Amino acid sequence: MSSVAESDLFASTEPPTGDPTRLHPHVIVLFGATGDLARRKLLPGLLRLSHSGLMPECQIVGTSLEELDQLQFHTFALSACKEFARGDIVADHWEEFRERLHYVSQVHGPESLADAVWHAEQRLSRAGRRLHYLSIPPTAAKAVVETLGQANLVERSRIIMEKPFGTDLASAKSLNDVVHGIFSPDQVYRIDHFLGKEAAQNILAFRFANGLFEPIWNRNHIDHVQIDVPETLSVDSRASFYEGTGAFRDMVVTHLFQVLAFMAMEPPTSLEPRSISEEKNKVFRSMLPIDVTQVVRGQYEGYRAIPGVAEDSQTETFVALKCEIDNWRWAGVPFYLRTGKNLGDGARIISIAFREPPKSMFPANSGIGAHGPDHLTFDLADSSKLSLSFYGKRPGPGMQLDKLSLQFALHETGHEIDVLEAYERLIHDAMSGDHTLFTAADDIERLWELSAPLLENPPDVELYPPRSWGPPGIHDLIAPDAWRLPFERGWRKADA
């Protein structure tokens, strides 16, 4: 088939669909195929897409710097899927998936990669697309993109790029220049797995589909917003990566700011990629540059003893900051962001605090306001929960108020089994040509621009004990309010 005919054949974008027969066959080239992300998420995710019938006809070419033969790669993939895949692995399903798996080492150069992809394409029943997934450190991104160009693997292809995309404005622009010099913008998918979560997408539905909440989603009714993503994991196995990255680059620029945009954006004209991207970009353009006096950087005790970490390291394993959006909807409403490693619990919470009404009509000891303002809380974990807290009267004589809550959880709908894990959803979207949940180049560069004051003049890190909630300075940052985590009241259990 000539290149002109191929260009004509693949010029159109497939509509997003759950029907894999409407998607072109694919060769998926997985860079970093023996890395941690591939082991925990990508290989198990590809297996589940294959089992669920959402994967079109495909072949998978794994590649990394390790020299493995086919059997060794199959053994690695099986071990990863046994440990991290959801549900039991059925032998017939695994055998079918294994037949799709191939491996080539990057040390053998672009020619070997091109040859492996060509052989994989010969296994397809008809001409297909290529999907390149770059599960690699940001420092290796330019070299891999250039390798794809040298291997003539650009045509009929899309490329998924992992975070962080650059480490500052200059490096992000430089990387964008390299990528766009080889791939057209519509071929590039900058991934943020937080936006692939069912709960994150439910924010849009909740905001814009309900007449109860859409009118109050503004500065007149909302006092402040918290986006809180603590993690219990330490960074022992990722110290070499983390020492050059830190919590802010690893989590805030790449994840928390994107969630903030979903929370704060104006209604898009339609739920299609261009409209959503435009509204997110308006949020980023309205954000004020980060004020370093409104940032707390922390480092857990013992981090500097990890092999590969400098004895005087100022790399933050924790960061909390205050952001402001200077537009008509949000002026004066602070957005508090917090994330870190080795903290007291693992969670992904968005909490909206509503403005409190006057309390003068209630008796002094009624309990009104004793537990803070009313909150609407989204849990972005895969279990997907939502809670609305409010004050209600305690049964009995007098006017005694308690804090109550209405809660919803995905398991109550009976559709929990249908939920795709974030990486599964985003890989499927990329194969479908759907950019809706991916990040544009302009967004990335604007966020690094906003981050420049902090990156150029970071405050010193404050030490905090492992499994705590961060350094003491976080309470001054949010005063007179308080952090929602840890919760005073837990989520309702599934069997409650």
Side-chain angles (χ1 to χ4, degrees), residues 392-408:
K393 182 184 178 300
R394 184 186 302 171
M399 180 58 71
Q400 193 68 31
L401 303 178
D402 290 327
K403 198 70 174 288
L404 309 172
S405 68
L406 297 173
Q407 294 189 7
F408 159 83

Side-chain angles (χ1 to χ4, degrees), residues 207-441:
R207 284 189 58 189
F208 300 128
N210 294 291
L212 177 62
F213 292 100
E214 191 280 330
I216 63 173
W217 212 267
N218 56 59
R219 59 190 172 89
N220 296 322
H221 301 281
I222 293 177
D223 182 77
H224 66 272
V225 177
Q226 296 179 34
I227 302 174
D228 206 349
V229 186
E231 297 181 281
T232 57
L233 295 174
S234 64
V235 297
D236 293 12
S237 61
R238 303 174 66 214
S240 58
F241 162 78
Y242 214 81
E243 183 67 355
T245 305
F248 180 79
R249 288 182 172 93
D250 185 42
M251 290 293 293
V252 177
V253 178
T254 53
H255 294 321
L256 273 63
F257 280 160
Q258 298 295 329
V259 174
L260 182 153
F262 264 35
M263 283 293 305
M265 62 190 275
E266 295 297 318
T269 55
S270 65
L271 291 177
E272 55 90 21
R274 185 184 297 274
S275 296
I276 291 177
S277 180
E278 286 174 352
E279 297 307 332
K280 284 173 57 186
N281 193 263
K282 289 178 185 177
V283 173
F284 298 144
R285 292 202 303 270
S286 299
M287 286 176 62
L288 299 178
I290 293 174
D291 180 352
V292 296
T293 66
Q294 300 296 318
V295 178
V296 176
R297 296 170 71 243
Q299 185 184 94
Y300 66 80
E301 296 168 356
Y303 172 77
R304 295 175 185 174
I306 299 173
V309 174
E311 293 182 358
D312 58 351
S313 172
Q314 282 290 308
T315 298
E316 79 281 359
T317 62
F318 171 98
V319 64
L321 63 149
K322 174 183 174 183
C323 298
E324 295 186 77
I325 302 172
D326 190 20
N327 62 19
W328 279 97
R329 184 181 290 268
W330 297 112
V333 178
F335 286 73
Y336 296 104
L337 280 56
R338 177 174 66 166
T339 187
K341 302 290 188 182
N342 218 338
L343 295 177
D345 197 2
R348 299 175 176 92
I349 296 295
I350 303 172
S351 189
I352 298 108
F354 293 101
R355 295 194 181 277
E356 297 188 70
K359 305 171 185 175
S360 56
M361 64 177 285
F362 292 95
N365 296 321
S366 66
I368 181 69
H371 298 282
D374 301 338
H375 283 87
L376 176 64
T377 302
F378 293 88
D379 182 352
L380 299 187
D382 291 333
S383 54
S384 188
K385 301 172 186 173
L386 183 150
S387 173
L388 177 63
S389 67
F390 56 92
Y391 285 93
K393 182 184 178 300
R394 184 186 302 171
M399 180 58 71
Q400 193 68 31
L401 303 178
D402 290 327
K403 198 70 174 288
L404 309 172
S405 68
L406 297 173
Q407 294 189 7
F408 159 83
L410 186 64
H411 66 79
E412 296 172 347
T413 68
H415 294 294
E416 188 172 21
I417 193 172
D418 299 327
V419 174
L420 289 178
E421 199 272 344
Y423 284 99
E424 298 165 2
R425 167 65 186 266
L426 293 170
I427 290 171
H428 182 269
D429 284 359
M431 288 191 289
S432 304
D434 186 351
H435 275 92
T436 303
L437 300 176
F438 294 86
T439 307

